[in-house]
């Protein structure tokens, strides 16, 4: 059911005669945003009525709790315009409340996750929930995975101290390993969000005993071969560093100078450097994963580790990563990531 299908009446209702829905999916309301909305109400008035339903001698909010809260901040305001919907049951009131809040910046990840889980409690499948709110099925399932986080870590996610992508990878870990990863994260041990997520993935591989180093005892010949391989690989990295220094020098030359230097062959030189760039990017991905695996393998899990930061002013500002850019666009892992981490 939607509002247009119900019996609707619009009236001015005293603010004191209206109460919020205790099952409202959103629990956090940003005070700054409420004051901004109150300023708008003072300036241009109420442009859109809230939606309520009868609840005995009072009314219960179905949609528009932000407007109701903001109206309380408007000096002299005693009433608010409201559509009275007389034929909405608890389930449909909850669905309408979610519809209003999904996608709002001040609805936390955990509130959204719980809202979807509550709909599952009403008997809805993830596919149907996704269809109702214009999301993908994977997105809905991913959000609900966040409910596997420990209570203290879920609070950090709700407060915005842990970002969405890393939070999802954390949700796939045991409680003890969640704390291991978050402790490092809050201390600023990771340069980027991608590094943090990669470390969480490595911990999960450790839990599942997947893709880690062989534990078998090497023969003398195998040890010798391994030492030779390590030496060769180290030598290649040394050569990469020298090539990097040459590229840094090249980057200092102006486009005009490059055009003169490589006259007639600029495209050829560009293609050569582009091949190096792509190979370097792929190598960085694999080395990042290797670093995370090495660190995860050496860890001794201590469930008592604290997850809160030691000091507020000790936080490390992290540079934006490709993962963060993807989050800003859709805030969900790709299907490839979901399949790889499942």
């Amino acid at each position: 059911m939607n509002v247009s299908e119900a019996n609707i009446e619009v009236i001015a209702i005293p603010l004191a005669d209206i109460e919020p829905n205790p099952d409202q999916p959103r629990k956090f309301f940003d005070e700054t945003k409420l004051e901004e909305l109150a300023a708008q109400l003072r300036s241009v008035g109420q442009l859109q009525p809230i939606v309520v339903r009868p609840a005995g001698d009072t009314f219960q909010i179905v949609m528009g709790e932000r407007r109701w809260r903001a109206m309380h901040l408007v000096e002299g305001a005693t009433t608010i315009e409201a559509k009275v919907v007389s034929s909405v049951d608890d389930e449909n009131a909850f669905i309408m409340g979610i519809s209003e809040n999904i996608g709002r910046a001040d609805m936390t990840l955990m509130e959204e996750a719980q809202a979807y889980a509550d709909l599952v409690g009403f008997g809805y499948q993830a596919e149907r929930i996704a269809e109702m709110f214009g999301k993908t099925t994977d997105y809905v399932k991913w959000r609900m995975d966040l409910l596997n986080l420990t209570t203290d870590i879920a609070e950090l996610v709700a407060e915005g101290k842990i970002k969405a992508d890393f939070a999802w990878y954390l949700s796939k870990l045991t409680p003890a390993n969640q704390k291991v990863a978050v402790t490092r994260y809050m201390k600023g041990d990771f340069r980027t969000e991608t590094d943090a997520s990669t470390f969480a993935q490595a911990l999960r591989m450790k839990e599942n005993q997947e893709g880690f180093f062989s534990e078998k005892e090497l023969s003398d010949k195998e040890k010798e071969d391994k030492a030779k391989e390590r030496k060769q690989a180290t030598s290649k990295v040394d050569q990469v560093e020298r090539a990097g220094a040459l590229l840094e020098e090249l980057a200092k030359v102006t486009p005009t100078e490059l055009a003169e230097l490589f006259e007639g062959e600029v495209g050829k030189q560009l293609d050569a450097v582009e091949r190096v760039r792509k190979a370097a990017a792929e190598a960085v991905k694999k080395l990042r994963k290797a670093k995370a695996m090495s660190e995860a393998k050496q860890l001794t899990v201590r469930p008592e580790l604290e997850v809160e930061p030691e000091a507020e002013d000790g936080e490390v500002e992290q540079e934006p990563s490709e993962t963060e850019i993807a989050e800003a666009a859709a805030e969900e892992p790709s299907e490839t990531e979901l399949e790889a981490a499942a």
Side-chain angles (χ1 to χ4, degrees):
M1 174 186 293
N2 56 45
V3 175
S4 64
E5 294 172 333
N7 180 23
I8 297 175
E9 181 183 4
V10 180
I11 58 176
I13 302 177
L15 292 171
D17 290 346
I18 300 173
E19 60 185 25
N21 185 343
D23 295 325
Q24 149 78 279
R26 185 172 51 168
K27 307 301 180 186
F28 171 75
F29 293 86
D30 187 286
E31 293 299 328
T32 301
K33 296 294 184 183
L34 285 177
E35 182 52 48
E36 290 176 358
L37 181 54
Q40 177 184 323
L41 291 170
R42 295 187 194 100
S43 175
V44 298
Q46 184 183 351
L47 301 178
Q48 182 180 7
I50 67 172
V51 179
V52 299
R53 60 175 176 164
D57 294 331
T58 61
F59 297 90
Q60 187 180 85
I61 297 173
V62 176
M63 300 172 68
E65 185 172 340
R66 282 180 71 251
R67 278 164 280 160
W68 175 74
R69 287 175 178 268
M71 190 64 81
H72 279 80
L73 302 177
V74 177
E75 301 77 3
T78 58
T79 64
I80 188 170
E81 293 290 320
K83 293 180 179 179
V84 181
V85 183
S86 60
S87 55
V88 175
D89 59 19
D90 290 345
E91 179 178 345
N92 281 302
F94 182 73
I95 293 172
M96 291 166 69
I98 296 176
S99 298
E100 180 188 32
N101 289 308
I102 292 300
R104 287 191 183 276
D106 53 354
M107 186 179 196
T108 72
L109 294 173
M110 301 311 301
E111 288 172 344
E112 186 180 0
Q114 188 60 58
Y116 293 146
D118 289 343
L119 284 174
V120 171
F122 278 122
Y124 289 86
Q125 299 295 319
E127 291 77 9
R128 174 58 180 144
I129 296 171
E131 181 182 335
M132 290 164 62
F133 300 109
K135 306 293 184 180
T136 65
T137 301
D138 284 340
Y139 178 96
V140 171
K141 290 180 177 178
W142 174 59
R143 281 290 193 261
M144 289 192 291
D145 283 342
L146 298 182
L147 299 177
N148 294 323
L149 294 169
T150 62
T151 302
D152 49 0
I153 293 175
E155 289 177 0
L156 293 174
V157 174
E159 293 167 4
K161 294 179 179 178
I162 295 177
K163 295 189 178 181
D165 196 55
F166 179 49
W168 181 78
Y169 285 111
L170 285 173
S171 74
K172 313 306 289 184
L173 299 173
T174 62
N177 274 337
Q178 287 181 29
K179 290 189 176 183
V180 167
V182 170
T183 297
R184 292 196 59 190
Y185 183 85
M186 299 304 291
K187 288 180 178 179
D189 285 354
F190 303 111
R191 294 184 306 108
T192 66
E193 290 292 313
T194 299
D195 286 344
S197 296
T198 302
F199 179 74
Q201 292 177 69
L203 282 179
R204 188 167 188 236
M205 291 174 65
K206 181 180 180 181
E207 290 176 356
N208 297 332
Q209 295 299 308
E210 298 172 355
F212 269 83
F213 317 108
S214 173
E215 298 292 342
K216 74 172 185 176
E217 184 67 28
L218 299 178
S219 66
D220 291 343
K221 177 64 166 59
E222 288 173 327
K223 290 179 181 178
E224 183 180 336
D225 291 342
K226 180 67 68 175
K228 187 179 297 184
E229 289 176 9
R230 182 178 291 110
K231 183 177 181 180
Q232 291 175 345
T234 301
S235 175
K236 290 177 181 177
V237 173
D238 291 341
Q239 293 179 48
V240 168
E241 287 186 333
R242 288 194 292 273
L246 293 174
L247 288 173
E248 287 176 359
E249 290 182 16
L250 188 63
K252 295 176 182 178
V253 182
T254 68
T256 300
E257 291 172 331
L258 289 173
E260 293 177 353
L261 286 171
F262 299 127
E263 186 176 359
E265 294 187 343
V266 177
K268 177 182 177 181
Q269 309 306 330
L270 175 61
D271 289 343
V273 174
E274 181 66 18
R275 286 195 296 272
V276 172
R277 185 195 66 80
K278 289 181 178 179
E282 187 63 28
V284 165
K285 290 180 183 178
K286 292 184 177 180
L287 285 168
R288 179 183 287 122
K289 185 172 182 179
K291 178 176 179 288
M293 291 173 63
S294 180
E295 292 173 346
K297 183 176 186 292
Q298 297 172 36
L299 276 176
T300 299
V301 175
R302 296 191 318 227
E304 73 278 10
L305 284 172
E306 296 293 332
V307 299
E308 291 290 346
E310 293 182 345
E312 289 294 331
D313 58 0
E315 293 181 5
V316 174
E317 185 175 357
Q318 299 171 337
E319 63 190 70
S321 64
E322 293 179 1
T323 301
E324 292 178 271
I325 295 171
E327 280 179 20
E331 271 208 328
E332 64 179 83
S334 66
E335 293 183 7
T336 302
E337 287 176 315
L338 287 164
E339 292 171 0

